[in-house]
Amino acid sequence: MHCRNKENKKMGPKGWFILKLLMFQGLFISHSQEQEDFDFFYLVLQWPGAYCDTKRSCCYPTSGKPAADFGIHGLWPNYKDGTYPSNCNPDSEFDKSQITDLVSSLKKTWPTLACPSNEGFKFWKHEWEKHGTCSESVMDQHEYFENSLKLRDRANLLQALTNSGIKPDDRFYDLEKIRKAIKDEIGFTPGIECNKDPERNDQLHQIYICVDTSGTEFIKCPILPRERCPSRLQFAKF
Ligand code: 5GP
Ligand code: 5GP
């Protein structure tokens, strides 16, 4: 009996179709892996006076009371429908040794205010593992922290507000004036988040600024976070 094994068998039209389909899929998969798996970043900056002036209170980092200025909360990859990825790569653990040159800047402008008091590595580890690992297609750990620091400096929020007469003096300011002062500085409308102090006053807590997928340029926000601020809010002393 004449018998051919599978490998030698000539491929018919159905075989060619399947082969082409597999090749196409292969191309598509390798291409999509090179692209970002998110649409933009939120650079989220926190006002320490508001973080500390709540029922929960706060603890200063071991290096002492941070400057009375906006600090970084995180650089968060986001989708334009408002949802977001998180904890994308359990194999990519936070590694202190990759950011030794940035630690002194991180201590100054990405200070932790959570209790118990600590140096800050816990906060940076949390932000890298929850958010940073979702933007590894565009930046590694060093770039994630370096870009965040550069963006925060560029936003120059406190100066922008002070230039418009908006100061952290426990007084109340118009939400729209705060928004305009920031827009005039960075070129785009920011998102503003409030929290409440123990007397239930609404305070300026966090500012959301949108950043392109390279993590270097401010952009118009594809979607702003849902806001619960009233029309006037307190800019707490720190
Ligand atoms: P909260 O519930 O306090 O607004 O947010 C808790 C945490 O969820 C944040 O610290 C952040 O890690 C994550 N989160 C909340 N809102 C967003 C968002 O709009 N985008 C991203 N990427 N993360 C968010
Ligand atoms: P996210 O809200 O980004 O998921 O997480 C914030 C986490 O980082 C919380 O577990 C919080 O306790 C911790 N954390 C440490 N320091 C700070 C800080 O200064 N601000 C905020 N918002 N969270 C901090």
Side-chain angles (χ1 to χ4, degrees):
M1 195 174 72
H2 184 72
C3 173
R4 281 189 300 193
N5 68 26
K6 243 186 168 177
E7 285 73 35
N8 287 336
K9 204 168 157 186
K10 253 189 155 179
M11 196 151 44
K14 200 170 155 194
W16 276 114
F17 176 74
I18 292 170
L19 184 66
K20 279 185 187 161
L21 195 71
L22 287 172
M23 281 167 64
F24 176 73
Q25 267 187 342
L27 274 177
F28 180 73
I29 289 166
S30 63
H31 177 68
S32 64
Q33 275 169 350
E34 282 161 21
Q35 294 204 323
E36 308 85 37
D37 18 35
F38 60 99
D39 299 322
F40 69 99
F41 288 102
Y42 281 129
L43 171 70
V44 184
L45 302 172
Q46 64 180 1
W47 178 250
Y51 186 91
C52 290
D53 187 15
T54 61
K55 275 194 209 139
R56 176 201 51 207
S57 188
C58 73
C59 292
Y60 296 154
T62 43
S63 45
K65 184 179 175 179
D69 202 345
F70 286 87
I72 301 171
H73 180 164
L75 184 64
W76 301 347
N78 234 78
Y79 299 120
K80 47 183 183 231
D81 67 359
T83 63
Y84 56 89
S86 63
N87 298 100
C88 297
N89 185 3
D91 295 331
S92 178
E93 284 177 12
F94 176 71
D95 174 9
K96 276 183 188 187
S97 71
Q98 291 184 31
I99 53 162
T100 43
D101 60 320
L102 302 176
V103 168
S104 70
S105 301
L106 289 169
K107 284 185 176 170
K108 282 195 202 105
T109 55
W110 198 330
T112 181
L113 293 164
C115 297
S117 184
N118 67 95
E119 280 187 286
F121 290 102
K122 268 207 233 162
F123 189 23
W124 309 327
K125 173 181 164 67
H126 171 86
E127 292 300 311
W128 166 256
E129 289 176 0
K130 180 167 182 182
H131 299 285
T133 56
C134 300
S135 52
E136 276 186 296
S137 56
V138 290
M139 58 182 91
D140 62 20
Q141 213 173 117
H142 188 271
E143 288 164 329
Y144 177 79
F145 288 101
E146 190 179 33
N147 286 338
S148 303
L149 292 168
K150 282 188 188 156
L151 289 164
R152 180 245 171 231
D153 286 352
R154 185 130 47 92
N156 201 18
L157 287 190
L158 189 61
Q159 189 67 55
L161 292 171
T162 320
N163 289 348
S164 298
I166 300 168
K167 298 179 216 118
D169 54 6
D170 275 351
R171 284 173 41 210
F172 284 73
Y173 294 92
D174 283 348
L175 172 64
E176 292 317 318
K177 288 204 177 126
I178 295 174
R179 206 193 304 279
K180 182 171 183 309
I182 298 172
K183 184 180 178 197
D184 289 348
E185 179 75 22
I186 64 170
F188 302 101
T189 302
I192 297 177
E193 192 179 276
C194 294
N195 68 359
K196 286 191 193 288
D197 76 1
E199 287 86 49
R200 316 275 313 146
N201 291 313
D202 293 279
Q203 301 179 314
L204 175 59
H205 178 216
Q206 302 204 108
I207 307 288
Y208 289 62
I209 297 171
C210 294
V211 175
D212 71 348
T213 49
S214 75
T216 58
E217 299 298 330
F218 297 141
I219 54 166
K220 181 176 184 295
C221 281
I223 182 167
L224 284 164
R226 203 148 40 89
E227 248 175 51
R228 288 176 222 94
C229 294
S231 56
R232 282 180 72 75
L233 39 130
Q234 189 178 38
F235 196 3
K237 280 187 186 155
F238 181 63

